[in-house]
Amino acid sequence: MSDLTDLTIEEAHALLQRGEVSSVELTQAHLERIEAVDGLIRSYLTVTAGQALDQARAADARRAEGEDTPLLGVPLSYKDVLCTRGVQTTCGSRILEGYRPPYTATAIEKLEALGAVMLGKTNMDEFAMGSSTENSAYVVTRNPWDTERVPGGSSGGSAASVAARLAVASLGTDTGGSIRQPASLCGVVGLKPSYGRVSRYGLVAFASSLDQIGPLTRSVTDAALMLNAIAGHDPRDSTSMNVEVPDYTAALRADMQGLRVGVPREYFIEGMQPAVEAAVRAAIDQLAELGAEIREVSLPHTDAALPVYYLVAPAEASANLARFDGVRYGPRVVAGSMWETYRQTRGQGFGPEVKRRIMLGTYALSAGYYDAYYLKAQKVRTLIKQDFEQAFEQVDLIACPVSPTTAFRIGERIDDPLQMYLSDVLTLAVNLAGICGISIPCGFDENDLPIGLQLIGPAFGEEQVLRAAYAYEQSTDWHTRVPAL
Amino acid sequence: MTLSIEEVEHIAELAKLALTDEEKARYREQLSAILDYFNRLQAIDTDDIPPTATVLPLHTVLRDDVPHPGISREELLANTEHKENGMFRVEAILDESP
Amino acid sequence: MIEYEPVIGLEVHAELLTRSKMFCSCAVVDSTEAEPNRYVCPVCTAQPGVLPVINRQAVEYAMMVGLALNCTINEFNQFARKSYFYPDLPKGYQISQYEHPLASNGWLEIEVGDSTRRIGIRRAHLEEDTGKLFHVGDHSLVDLNRAGVPLLEIVSEPDMRSVEEVEAYARKLRAILVYLGVNHGDMSKGVLRFEANISIRPRGSEELNTRTEIKNLNSIRSLVRATRYEIQRQIEVVESGGQVVQQTMGFDEDTGRTQAQRGKEQAHDYRYFPEPDLPPLHISREWVAEIGERLPELPDARRERFIQEFGLSLQDAVVLVADKAVADYYEAALAAGGDPKIVANWVTGELFRLMNTAGLEIGGIRVAPEALVELIALVEAGKINNNTAKEVLEIMFETGRGAEEIVEERGLAQISDSSALEVLVERVIAENPQQVQKYLGGKEGLLGWFVGQVMRETKGQANAQMVNEMFRKRLEALREG
């Protein structure tokens, strides 16, 4: 029997279906590997062993009754920014230490209804603000390919847990690249669905108009299976679209005949690591081999995406994080008077990056500055969105890099916030436009560090993105390589 | 552009964040550099461009007026030790302005 | 000597009588009576990760108010976040409307004395209420039952020029809200809150000077007293050479004075921005028309109908429609067979007097409309006279018993037996020859005195009209004789 922690969802389902393995065995195998390996990787903040085995038993019982769906009994990990009833949810922050939500996020509820098993909650940059997971107030997660390096962020724990085979798949979140970039740095598949495709109810908000929940998986098929499970309208989320959820696996085909792929010149930026550029260009050539028509496109306002993002997102975040005052939940630093208690609770409970962004956002919205900063940024955002709309009149997909570099060393960028922000430059615009994007493995650099290819599709165009990703994946073996752990 | 320390203190107060002097100095530098970088936005012509209210073609999302039970008081108060008589307890407000 | 005139605008916050909250499905309850923190959910307690969803009924109620106030119902609506910290505001921001309110540019007609005036309504917008903070010694306690209840904020133009106008506006606006069924008007429960913005200027001037804001007024009476005091205070400040300082003030019920609330001089920077969790709200013209068709009869229309249909005077009609419950009571009495003018007199006269003395609203009295009509019928039938009827009403008011029953039991039936009365009339005449002489000598006014003697003898139960007629005849007969 193959190693029980070396399976995709598809493969696990097949074994469960044939009765060759039980969910309890599958879950147990993962819990054991977490014990053995996660002391080094530190992808999990909370491991819910007891609950996981209970869920696994329940799944096995359902299967015995004749139920059989792809996620039934499959053990998953969830980024700690997603609320799980009764289970600690910290968002990587001390200000939520010990917090147990009284409800569960819709996306997780849907997975649980399908019988999926929760192994635990994964580490992340505090409140999803960061690109390396170094901003976690708890631990620094290590990249399974090189433990001196970052896994990327903010869904670093999720990406690492999948890459290190400590979960079959994971749910992460993406506000400016936080699924795609860590997926790229960890050599796994990461999908950011279109804004409104997946309910945000239960996702602790960072930037309300940009956040989306999405899967990190070992294969494109798995990403499609996860998207099938979590997508759909939610009456509790006024920004979720009432659009039918197709069977995303039906879109997967081994070729790219008839697909037009745009390559944006602005995305091959100066300072990009040569190996990254080479791998991505080779991947694009491969797409052509598979039958795609490659064209050059232009996204003229690409340069503006960074300042727009770093004004809009912190502005929304500054309000979203105002509820963290220690009054109703989270540790409170009592300091004499009520206002001083507020200041100390927040001042001590939030880490430096979060405080920096709250200040930036507060400034951008403050009297006298709103027009020049926030409003201006929202107008330029419209231009960025229009860039994509115009491009998608010419092509069905856009292909480009995910990150200008492969995984950098822990500690390398943490002292220069602006430098850290630049890691996101190739992923931000997708969130600003509300469209979908996937990162899939497309090679390795000279240090054996993974490189990701980004495929971007129009709003609710996940089918063609998944199709192209699948075709590419099946024509290479990048996705079969695993870190030597 | 450079923010003054007073401006940094003002923003920190709006956001109710206690900062050490060292933090104030550091944020002053970092925020100034970031805002400087953002000034490149001013060069982009947005005269007739509407701000993105929402990326979605959605509007008028409404809910029927039907009450449902929520969570129990016990569940609500479970995440804090600062409670009294079924309510959250906070320190005296005193005379500072909010 | 410069004469000053006050320039006053009112801001009203009205809780809307929906069944569930503005942005979540928790029940809306009387938060002054409910056990704390029993009507809460993740959304209204601002747990991490929650999202708001707009209550359709709240939007419709707001549209009804906008239409009743002659406003334009704006097609494009956007909610906004208004940020500030306070323990009763769980999210650290309130979802409100800023640049794109639901209704704007309307007016409200008020009656002061004989004249009517239009007070401009600048805007009305939807928002959510906060929870409640209770000060307990050296700390405070937070109850979130009220957090998230739908609120309609109605802002007038600074068009009011007197305390009387302020009172008329407040009462009229409250009446409209009650008539629409969107608020029950009980200010002591905090469901309706008034804030006054007051400044003064020399009469004839057009400028707008520094104003003060008076908050936390929990009754119309307080609003009136506070306004009156503040106007005078500002005049005194200016006349003594000082300047009015912009500040937020409270009102001390005991001393009757307004006073500055410390620590609130700084204007808040609310950092408004469009609420990203709520797509814009488009209110179609069809929807507005549909709501318009469903509007119930409003005070002004009811007043007109009372004048036209029932022949009441403007004054009586205005008084009767001011409180919807009174108007409903009145019409119920008419439905039970009462005569419009007579019932109007009894309601606005004796009934109101009893209610005022007892401090009761008409909803709390023990005299049903049918019972009042029964009493009036006894008077019309001559069974009791007016004075007796007033006494009987008082007993009915206290005991809740019926008129017939009371009259029967206490033998209060009017004496209309002419032979019995004749005996009394004769006796009074016989026993008072001097008064008879004075009357015959020209003092016709003494007729009342004669009648009074019989009334006294009969403890007020004699049929006064009959006695009056009898005396006239007998005395005239004596003149001839």
Side-chain angles (χ1 to χ4, degrees):
Chain A
M1 187 184 307
S2 61
D3 184 350
L4 290 181
T5 59
D6 214 356
L7 305 167
T8 60
I9 296 172
E10 214 184 351
E11 289 163 349
H13 175 226
L15 291 180
L16 288 164
Q17 198 177 46
R18 296 197 297 264
E20 285 176 34
V21 76
S22 69
S23 174
V24 170
E25 285 168 323
L26 196 53
T27 300
Q28 191 62 44
H30 281 85
L31 290 170
E32 279 163 17
R33 185 166 165 82
I34 290 169
E35 273 248 22
V37 168
D38 207 40
L40 174 63
I41 302 299
R42 281 163 256 188
S43 58
Y44 282 88
L45 286 175
T46 302
V47 178
T48 48
Q51 193 170 322
L53 290 168
D54 286 342
Q55 288 176 330
R57 272 186 281 273
D60 283 334
R62 283 165 69 170
R63 193 170 281 283
E65 294 292 307
E67 210 181 309
D68 176 29
T69 51
L71 286 158
L72 180 62
V74 176
L76 308 172
S77 67
Y78 302 132
K79 184 176 180 180
D80 209 20
V81 74
L82 297 167
C83 285
T84 42
R85 187 167 182 194
V87 173
Q88 183 180 236
T89 300
T90 68
C91 301
S93 178
R94 290 283 175 202
I95 214 168
L96 278 178
E97 190 166 8
Y99 174 66
R100 289 165 193 267
Y103 77 107
T104 296
T106 298
I108 294 179
E109 257 185 6
K110 290 173 98 141
L111 287 168
E112 290 185 340
L114 291 168
V117 172
M118 171 169 69
L119 290 166
K121 311 297 291 300
T122 56
N123 195 24
M124 52 183 285
D125 282 298
E126 189 178 358
F127 286 110
M129 299 181 187
S131 311
S132 65
T133 309
E134 290 171 289
N135 288 326
S136 168
Y138 294 94
V139 290
V140 176
T141 300
R142 277 109 204 307
N143 192 316
W145 296 86
D146 178 344
T147 56
E148 298 300 307
R149 294 178 186 262
V150 301
S154 61
S155 309
S158 281
S161 71
V162 175
R165 289 123 60 215
L166 303 172
V168 178
S170 188
L171 276 189
T173 67
D174 192 314
T175 302
S178 291
I179 286 175
R180 291 161 287 151
Q181 187 254 28
S184 166
L185 268 50
C186 288
V188 298
V189 174
L191 170 68
K192 183 199 98 65
S194 311
Y195 187 81
R197 176 75 284 187
V198 178
S199 169
R200 288 187 299 119
Y201 187 74
L203 160 52
V204 180
F206 158 17
S208 313
S209 72
L210 303 170
D211 296 341
Q212 266 295 278
I213 299 172
L216 290 105
T217 58
R218 277 183 218 140
S219 70
V220 174
T221 303
D222 280 5
L225 287 169
M226 290 283 277
L227 188 60
N228 278 355
I230 61 176
H233 177 247
D234 182 6
R236 288 171 294 190
D237 176 0
S238 302
T239 61
S240 76
M241 289 280 281
N242 204 344
V243 171
E244 206 195 302
V245 182
D247 176 2
Y248 287 105
T249 61
L252 306 179
R253 281 166 52 173
D255 72 277
M256 292 194 55
Q257 286 302 339
L259 283 181
R260 301 161 301 165
V261 175
V263 179
R265 65 178 90 100
E266 295 87 359
Y267 275 57
F268 288 85
I269 59 177
E270 226 179 274
M272 181 173 287
Q273 194 179 327
V276 171
E277 179 161 358
V280 171
R281 288 211 186 274
I284 291 170
D285 288 342
Q286 182 68 5
L287 295 178
E289 288 292 306
L290 290 164
E293 185 198 322
I294 312 293
R295 298 187 191 185
E296 205 192 51
V297 295
S298 174
L299 298 168
H301 296 94
T302 296
D303 242 3
L306 203 147
V308 169
Y309 176 84
Y310 279 101
L311 283 172
V312 172
E316 293 177 2
S318 69
N320 285 327
L321 267 54
R323 70 193 61 195
F324 299 106
D325 51 21
V327 172
R328 287 148 287 115
Y329 42 76
R332 186 190 295 186
V333 178
V334 181
S337 74
M338 191 191 76
W339 292 126
E340 195 53 28
T341 297
Y342 268 59
R343 294 184 196 106
Q344 292 298 332
T345 296
R346 291 165 59 79
Q348 293 181 37
F350 287 132
E353 183 60 41
V354 171
K355 284 192 281 197
R356 188 162 30 243
R357 295 197 199 191
I358 289 175
M359 306 257 290
L360 198 47
T362 303
Y363 185 77
L365 291 173
S366 65
Y369 296 106
Y370 178 86
D371 283 1
Y373 288 113
Y374 182 78
L375 187 59
K376 183 78 182 179
Q378 287 284 46
K379 288 183 177 182
V380 177
R381 181 177 178 179
T382 302
L383 292 173
I384 291 170
K385 185 163 183 281
Q386 285 174 359
D387 277 1
F388 281 103
E389 282 162 6
Q390 279 155 25
F392 285 123
E393 280 166 16
Q394 311 293 323
V395 297
D396 306 299
L397 291 167
I398 288 169
C400 58
V402 182
S403 165
T405 66
T406 53
F408 43 92
R409 289 183 193 288
I410 291 169
E412 190 179 299
R413 298 196 190 167
I414 197 70
D415 291 325
D416 187 344
L418 204 44
Q419 191 56 28
M420 184 71 87
Y421 297 167
L422 287 166
S423 333
D424 295 333
V425 94
L426 303 173
T427 48
L428 299 172
V430 170
N431 302 78
L432 292 171
I435 56 184
C436 59
I438 196 171
S439 172
I440 50 177
C442 74
F444 291 83
D445 75 0
E446 57 278 4
N447 293 320
D448 266 346
L449 298 169
I451 299 167
L453 168 71
Q454 185 173 200
L455 294 171
I456 300 170
F460 289 78
E462 284 81 357
E463 281 155 296
Q464 67 230 45
V465 166
L466 287 165
R467 174 185 164 193
Y470 180 77
Y472 175 78
E473 177 195 66
Q474 293 301 303
S475 74
T476 69
D477 63 0
W478 304 121
H479 60 292
T480 61
R481 284 181 54 178
V482 288
L485 267 177
Chain B
M1 61 150 318
T2 316
L3 294 173
S4 66
I5 284 285
E6 288 74 35
E7 282 176 296
V8 172
E9 285 171 345
H10 175 66
I11 299 167
E13 181 53 21
L14 282 178
K16 291 280 182 278
L17 294 171
L19 299 179
T20 62
D21 285 338
E22 190 265 320
E23 281 175 309
K24 286 181 200 175
R26 192 166 14 109
Y27 287 139
R28 179 188 178 200
E29 213 183 286
Q30 290 170 342
L31 289 176
S32 300
I34 293 167
L35 289 167
D36 236 348
Y37 184 81
F38 293 170
N39 279 328
R40 62 178 57 193
L41 282 183
Q42 303 311 324
I44 302 175
D45 181 7
T46 53
D47 276 344
D48 291 312
I49 308 292
T52 294
T54 170
V55 292
L56 298 168
L58 261 188
H59 65 83
T60 318
V61 180
L62 301 169
R63 172 182 52 96
D64 289 341
D65 187 24
V66 179
H68 290 303
I71 55 177
S72 70
R73 182 205 279 175
E74 291 64 42
E75 279 178 286
L76 176 65
L77 297 172
N79 278 302
T80 181
E81 62 192 27
H82 302 275
K83 47 199 172 187
E84 184 182 304
N85 292 339
M87 292 183 270
F88 297 103
R89 187 196 154 117
V90 295
E91 294 68 37
I93 295 183
L94 301 186
D95 294 336
E96 307 148 44
S97 68
Chain C
M1 179 69 174
I2 305 178
E3 225 189 285
Y4 289 97
E5 70 173 359
V7 176
I8 306 164
L10 284 188
E11 262 173 48
V12 175
H13 286 89
E15 284 182 20
L16 297 177
L17 283 170
T18 52
R19 298 173 60 205
S20 61
K21 292 186 178 181
M22 184 72 221
F23 297 115
C24 70
S25 299
C26 284
V28 170
V29 297
D30 179 350
S31 56
T32 62
E33 296 195 356
E35 263 186 71
N37 288 316
R38 290 264 181 233
Y39 298 93
V40 292
C41 76
V43 178
C44 57
T45 61
Q47 300 296 313
V50 297
L51 296 168
V53 187
I54 300 169
N55 181 335
R56 179 186 294 109
Q57 185 67 265
V59 176
E60 294 198 334
Y61 281 171
M63 288 165 70
M64 286 163 66
V65 176
L67 287 173
L69 296 177
N70 307 291
C71 294
T72 303
I73 306 299
N74 294 312
E75 172 129 30
F76 181 83
N77 274 246
Q78 177 71 55
F79 284 88
R81 292 189 184 176
K82 176 180 181 181
S83 293
Y84 67 95
F85 286 95
Y86 212 67
D88 65 5
L89 187 66
K91 290 189 293 295
Y93 59 86
Q94 180 194 40
I95 302 179
S96 178
Q97 290 183 293
Y98 183 56
E99 287 180 331
H100 301 283
L102 190 135
S104 49
N105 293 337
W107 45 267
L108 175 62
E109 202 173 79
I110 57 172
E111 298 91 33
V112 179
D114 291 329
S115 51
T116 63
R117 254 200 88 201
R118 275 193 187 179
I119 305 297
I121 304 284
R122 178 171 296 174
R123 55 183 273 158
H125 71 252
L126 278 169
E127 56 188 30
E128 54 178 343
D129 210 346
T130 62
K132 281 184 167 171
L133 199 57
F134 298 98
H135 301 293
V136 183
D138 70 345
H139 58 280
S140 306
L141 300 176
V142 184
D143 169 20
L144 295 176
N145 279 342
R146 197 184 67 179
V149 168
L151 270 190
L152 188 63
E153 182 176 325
I154 304 165
V155 182
S156 80
E157 296 290 355
D159 286 349
M160 286 162 262
R161 296 283 172 272
S162 70
V163 174
E164 290 72 31
E165 288 186 352
V166 167
E167 183 171 1
Y169 177 91
R171 291 193 184 283
K172 190 62 160 300
L173 184 55
R174 180 170 71 177
I176 288 175
L177 295 173
V178 173
Y179 269 69
L180 289 173
V182 306
N183 184 287
H184 59 62
D186 186 348
M187 289 176 69
S188 69
K189 295 266 175 191
V191 299
L192 192 59
R193 299 162 226 158
F194 288 94
E195 279 166 27
N197 293 315
I198 302 173
S199 66
I200 58 171
R201 65 186 178 198
R203 202 174 285 281
S205 153
E206 289 285 312
E207 62 195 22
L208 284 174
N209 295 320
T210 308
R211 59 172 209 234
T212 59
E213 214 178 273
I214 310 183
K215 292 187 180 231
N216 298 324
L217 299 161
N218 59 16
S219 67
I220 293 188
R221 188 160 170 269
S222 297
L223 169 64
V224 166
R225 292 171 68 205
T227 304
R228 183 171 288 128
Y229 180 86
E230 180 61 13
I231 294 168
Q232 193 52 39
R233 187 193 74 81
Q234 289 193 14
I235 292 174
E236 281 168 18
V237 164
V238 169
E239 279 180 344
S240 65
Q243 277 192 335
V244 173
V245 173
Q246 175 172 3
Q247 52 196 356
T248 304
M249 318 195 66
F251 178 65
D252 184 323
E253 298 281 331
D254 299 322
T255 62
R257 297 195 193 143
T258 58
Q259 53 210 29
Q261 293 188 326
R262 274 193 288 174
K264 297 216 175 177
E265 282 86 27
Q266 259 179 318
H268 283 290
D269 180 357
Y270 291 120
R271 308 189 290 292
Y272 286 99
F273 70 101
E275 171 57 80
D277 290 332
L278 294 174
L281 183 60
H282 290 183
I283 299 186
S284 69
R285 305 300 88 190
E286 290 74 32
W287 195 8
V288 174
E290 194 210 323
I291 298 293
E293 257 151 60
R294 288 197 268 137
L295 280 183
E297 188 183 39
L298 293 174
D300 287 354
R302 201 169 194 180
R303 176 196 71 206
E304 284 313 300
R305 183 165 66 80
F306 278 16
I307 293 170
Q308 302 304 326
E309 253 181 65
F310 307 135
L312 296 178
S313 69
L314 172 65
Q315 205 166 335
D316 278 348
V318 166
V319 170
L320 285 171
V321 304
D323 179 342
K324 181 172 188 282
V326 168
D328 290 344
Y329 183 101
Y330 174 72
E331 292 207 65
L334 299 195
D339 169 87
K341 292 196 178 139
I342 300 178
V343 172
N345 283 340
W346 275 96
V347 169
T348 62
E350 281 308 298
L351 197 58
F352 274 11
R353 184 183 67 77
L354 290 166
M355 281 161 57
N356 285 338
T357 310
L360 287 176
E361 299 289 328
I362 205 157
I365 69 174
R366 304 175 76 170
V367 181
E370 300 74 24
L372 179 65
V373 172
E374 192 194 309
L375 174 68
I376 293 171
L378 290 181
V379 175
E380 294 308 298
K383 285 209 181 136
I384 54 175
N385 61 32
N386 251 327
N387 285 339
T388 309
K390 288 180 187 177
E391 283 172 37
V392 173
L393 181 61
E394 203 162 329
I395 299 168
M396 286 167 75
F397 193 87
E398 251 144 65
T399 63
R401 294 165 64 209
E404 283 256 26
E405 203 191 315
I406 295 170
V407 166
E408 190 69 50
E409 190 187 85
R410 299 191 186 207
L412 296 173
Q414 191 168 238
I415 303 171
S416 300
D417 172 4
S418 46
S419 44
L421 289 176
E422 259 182 46
V423 170
L424 293 173
V425 166
E426 288 299 328
R427 193 189 323 148
V428 167
I429 289 177
E431 285 175 359
N432 296 281
Q434 270 165 315
Q435 306 296 79
V436 173
Q437 286 312 314
K438 280 189 186 159
Y439 176 84
L440 293 176
K443 287 218 153 102
E444 315 236 311
L446 279 176
L447 187 59
W449 180 87
F450 281 106
V451 172
Q453 296 306 299
V454 172
M455 296 306 286
R456 204 155 47 92
E457 215 25 84
T458 62
K459 294 188 177 43
Q461 283 172 241
N463 183 327
Q465 254 164 300
M466 277 180 81
V467 169
N468 187 299
E469 221 12 71
M470 284 180 176
F471 268 113
R472 186 197 299 283
K473 280 198 180 129
R474 277 304 280 122
L475 290 166
E476 286 308 313
L478 282 178
R479 189 198 296 280
E480 263 122 55

